[in-house]
Amino acid sequence: MGNMVESSDKVADETTTKKQPTALQRAAAAVDHGIAAGTAKVATWVSTKPWTTIALALFISALCTLGFMNIKSEDQPDKLFVPDNSRAFRDRRWVESRFPNDASVSTMILDHKNGRNLLDKEALLEVFDVYDRVLATSSDGGNRGYDERSCAVNTRNPAQPCQKSGILAFWGWDRATLEADTDIIATINRDDVPDCCSGAGPFVVLGQNAGKISRDDAGLVTSIGTLQLNFYLNAKTKKGGRDKKNRELEKEFDKIRDKGSYDYLDKPLKPLTSFAQSENVGGGFDYDQALINGASILIFLYAFWAMHQRKDPYASRGWLGVAAACVVLVAVAAGFGLAIAGGTVFSATASIAIFLILGIGLDDAFVIVGAELVHRGDFSEDAKRVKDGADVYEIASRRVVRAMAAAGPSIFVTSITDAVAFYAGAITTIPAIRAFCIFCGTCVLTDYLLQTTLFVAILTLDMRMKLRRGARELNEEAQMRCCKPCVKNALSDPKINGSRPTSFFGGRYASILLSKAGMAFVLLSTAALVCVAAVGAFRVTADFQYQDFFVETDAFGNDLPYAWFKSDFEFQEKYFRDGNQYPIGVYTSTADYFVEGSTTQKFYAEYAQQPYVVTESVMGNWYDAHQLYAASNPPQTSEEYKNSVATWLQTDEGKGYQEDVLLDAQNNIIATKTDVRWQFNKKELDTPMILNRMLRSRTFGRKHASAVKPRFYQFAFVFAEGIRVVLRESVISLCIACVAVLVVLLLLLGDLWAACLVASSLIMVCLITYGSIYWYDDHLNNVSAFFVIIAVGLATDASAHYCVAFLESSQSSRKDRAVEALDLLGPPVFLGGTSTILGICLTGFCVTYVFQTFFRYLMTILILAVWFGLVVMPVVCALIGPKSRRSEAIVAKEDLEAVTDAPISVSGGAPTAENSI
C-alpha cells in the first residue's frame, strides 16, 4: 500500500515536472490574460456608461472622417494597377516632363461595304466626304473644331497647320490632288511619299493607316478593306491644365458614326475618342456601383435575419444585427478618413473594402453575441433579481463584461492578424493594392475599437431591455403589455431557464464531420483540391490587356453607355496594328553630343539592325538629319555643335524636328526623341512579347550608348513591366504577410503547433486562389494578383477563431475539444463568413473586369476560408491538434487515476487526490 502511494506521488511529481509551461506558453498566457482583463476593464466602463460611450465613439469617428477633406481620387487604370516605382513608370514621368503629350486623338475607322475595295477613287472620295464632315464639326458656339481652332499644331509643314494622319496623306489631304491621280495603286505602293502632318515620321506608312490589305504575288498592295483617320486636338490649356472643353467637341465627333449615306463605306462608322473611352469605362463602374450599393443593403438585411429568431426571444436580436452593420460602416468611414488624411489615394477599387470590413466586423459582432448566449442559463435568475429590486444597470454590465472577457482574446487575435496581413500587403508598389491594403488594415483596427466600445454599449442597452422585460414578465405584466406569445412566454421557455442548447455545428454536423468516413472525405477532398490548385499554379501565365477594362452590355444584355467603344477598339487593334509594326519612342538624355557623336551615330545604326526593329523607322533620326545638314561645315567644338543644332532646328530642313530635340537657354541638348517601330507577327503581339522586346532594347542601350542614357518608352510598357513586377511582389508580399501572421499567432496563441496549423491553412488558401487564376481562364496580372495578396488578410479569421476555441477547451480528448469548439464558434463564424458571401453574390452581375475579378476570387477566398475554418481545421485538430491551454491539470489527473484508481478533482489547476488511501 505504501509503495502504491509512493508510486502515485512519484508519478504526480514527474507529471508536474513534465507539464511545466514553456516560456512561450507563459508569455502567451500573460498576453491572453492581459487581453481578457483589458477587454473586461473597457467593457466595464462602457457597460456602465453606454450613452456616454456612444456619444464619444460617434464624435471621435466624426473627427476621423474630416480626413475626407484631403481626399485625392484616381480612376485611371494605368495609374492604379501598375507599379509606381518600376523603370517604365519612371521613364513615363521622364518623358512626360520633357515631351508632354499635349494632344488627344480622335480616330474615325472606316470599313468597306459588301467587300468593296477602298482603293477605288470613288471610295477615297467618300473618305474625303467624312474628312470634310469632321472638319465641319464644332462645339462651344463654334469656337472649337478639328481645324485651326482646336487642333494640335503641326510643325513639319506650315502649309498644313493641323496634326493628323491617315491614308489621305498620300495626296497631301487635298481632294483635287486625289482627283488628278491617274494611278491610285502606284501611289499607295510608294514608300517615299512625304508625310506632311502626322509627326510620326518623314514618310507615310500604309500599315499605320489601313487594314484588310491584299497583295499580289509581287507583294504590291491591290486592295484595302478598312482604314482610319486620326485627328489630334490640343489638349493643354494656356494655364497648363487639360482642356476639358475638348470633351464636348469629341462628343460631337462620336455622333458622326450615324451620319451620312455611303456606297463604299459601311455604317455605322467607328469613332474612337478619349471622351468615349472615359464614358465607356465610367459607365461600367457606375453600373457596378449600383450593384455594390445593393449588396451592402443585402448584408444589412442578412445581419437582421441572422440575429432574429422569432421562436427564441432571448436569442432574437434582429435590430442588434442592423446596429452591428451600422457600427461597421462607422468604422469604415473613420478608417477611410484616417487613411485619406495620411495621403492614401481613393479609387473605385477601394469600395471593395466595405464588403470585407462588413464581413470581418459582423463576424466579431456574432462572436461577441455568441459569447453572451453561452450564459443564457442564468438569465432568469438575473431577471428575478431585477424584479426584486436589484440594479438592472449593474446586472446588465456584469453579463456584458463576462461575455467580452470570453470573446475579447478571440476577436483581438483575428483583428490583429488581419491588420498585420493587410499592412504587410501594403508594401507592394502597385498603387491600387497598396491603397486597398492600407484602407483595410486601418478599417480593421477602427472596427475592433468600435466593436469593443460602440457595439458593446449598444449590446448593454439591449441587455437592459431584456432584463426589464424579464422582470415584467415575472410580474405577469406581459399579459397587459404584449400579446405576442414569443415575448410573454420568454422566461417560461426551457431554452432560457435551462442550459444553452447544443448548436447544429456541435451536434449532428460534428458527429458526421468527425466520423471516420467524414474525416477521410475531408482530408482526401482537400488534398485533391490542393493538387488541382498546384497544377493550375504551375500553368498560370502573365498577361495584361488594357481593353479588358472596356464594357459592352450589362448582365441582362442591355447596351451600356458608349457600348460600341469596345467593339470599335477591338476592331482597331485587329486591323491597325501598324501593319504588323509597333510604335515606340527612343529617347536620349543630357550629354555632350559632339564628344559622344560617334557613340550616338553607332547606337542608332546598330539599333536599326536589330531583328525586331524596322530599319527605315530609325534612319530618319534627328542626329543623322543634322549630320546631313552640317556636312558642308561640320562643327569643330562642343559649343559650335550645340549652336549648329539650334540653328538647324530653325531651318526648313530641321523644323520638323523641333519637337524631337529639347534645348535649354544655352542651347544645350537636354533630351531627344526618335519615333521607332518594331516588327513582328501581330498574332504574337501580347504583353509578354512587348516586355521581352522592351528588356532587350534596354540591354542594348546600356551596352552601346550608356553615355547618352537611352530610354525606350511606350504607354504599354507601363503595363508590361507591371506584369514583370507583379509576380515578384506577389510572392514577396505573400511571404511577408504569412510570416507576419505566423509570428503574431505564435505570440498570441502561445503554441507553435497551433500557429503552424493556422498558417498552413492560410498558405493553402493562397495556393488554391493562385491556382484558380488558371482554372478561371484568366492571367496573372496587376488585378488578379491584387486578390491573391489580400487573401492572407481574409483567410485567417475562421481558422484563427476556431483554433482559439480549441485551445481554450478543457475537454479531455482532442475530439471532444474539436466538438466543443465547433459548438461554440461554429454559428458565429459561419454567419460571419456567409454574410460576406451573400453580399458579394450581387457583384456576380457586375460588368467591369475589376469587379468581375473581384467576384470570382473573393468568392473563392471566402468559401475556402469557411471550408478550412469549419471543415478542415476541426478534422485536423481532432487528429493532431495542439494541447489545450487548460490540459495540464487534466492530463495529470488522468495519469494519477491510472495508478491509484482513485477519483481526482481539479482545483486551482493542481491535482489533489480525494479519498486517498
Side-chain angles (χ1 to χ4, degrees), residues 470-502:
R472 290 198 304 271
E473 290 172 359
L474 291 177
N475 284 324
E476 297 182 348
E477 292 180 3
Q479 299 291 340
M480 298 178 291
R481 300 196 180 193
C482 185
C483 60
K484 294 181 180 180
C486 63
V487 176
K488 74 176 185 179
N489 297 326
L491 284 178
S492 61
D493 191 332
K495 291 182 180 179
I496 295 178
N497 287 325
S499 59
R500 184 183 70 87
T502 301

Side-chain angles (χ1 to χ4, degrees), residues 821-840:
L822 272 174
D823 184 36
L824 294 176
L825 268 298
V829 169
F830 179 79
L831 291 174
T834 53
S835 64
T836 311
I837 291 175
L838 181 65
I840 68 170

Side-chain angles (χ1 to χ4, degrees), residues 39 104 113 209-211 218 320 348 370 381 394 432 582 661 718 724 737 742 765 771 832:
T39 305
S104 62
K113 181 188 290 185
N209 305 296
L320 198 59
E381 296 179 4
E394 181 182 347
Y582 195 77
V661 181
V718 176
R724 180 191 180 199
L742 177 61
V765 170

Side-chain angles (χ1 to χ4, degrees), residues 44 85 131 135 151 377 478 607 621 698:
T44 300
N85 70 340
Y131 170 66
L135 294 186
C151 69
Y607 189 65
N621 66 80
R698 288 179 181 173

Side-chain angles (χ1 to χ4, degrees), residues 489-605:
N489 297 326
L491 284 178
S492 61
D493 191 332
K495 291 182 180 179
I496 295 178
N497 287 325
S499 59
R500 184 183 70 87
T502 301
S503 68
F504 165 76
F505 287 93
R508 185 173 180 81
Y509 175 79
S511 63
I512 296 174
L513 178 68
L514 299 181
S515 65
K516 291 183 178 180
M519 290 192 289
F521 171 78
V522 169
L523 295 177
L524 291 175
S525 59
T526 302
L529 184 62
V530 171
C531 291
V532 170
V535 172
F538 181 76
R539 297 180 179 179
V540 167
T541 57
D543 197 7
F544 191 92
Q545 299 295 331
Y546 189 77
Q547 56 265 35
D548 288 340
F549 289 96
F550 303 144
V551 298
E552 289 184 291
T553 60
D554 61 21
F556 306 100
N558 302 314
D559 284 347
L560 292 168
Y562 290 83
W564 46 263
F565 184 86
K566 182 175 182 179
S567 60
D568 290 4
F569 181 87
E570 291 174 346
F571 187 95
Q572 183 189 44
E573 288 291 294
K574 181 178 181 179
Y575 294 110
F576 297 96
R577 188 51 86 174
D578 297 334
N580 302 345
Q581 298 178 8
Y582 195 77
I584 71 159
V586 177
Y587 302 85
T588 60
S589 303
T590 302
D592 187 336
Y593 285 89
F594 177 76
V595 175
E596 303 296 340
S598 59
T599 299
T600 306
Q601 188 173 36
K602 183 178 179 182
F603 164 68
Y604 284 121

Side-chain angles (χ1 to χ4, degrees), residues 809-817 887 890-891 893-894:
S809 175
S810 59
Q811 297 295 321
S812 58
S813 68
R814 288 192 180 97
K815 185 173 182 179
D816 290 340
R817 287 192 286 132
S887 64
I890 297 169
V891 173
K893 169 178 176 283
E894 292 174 347

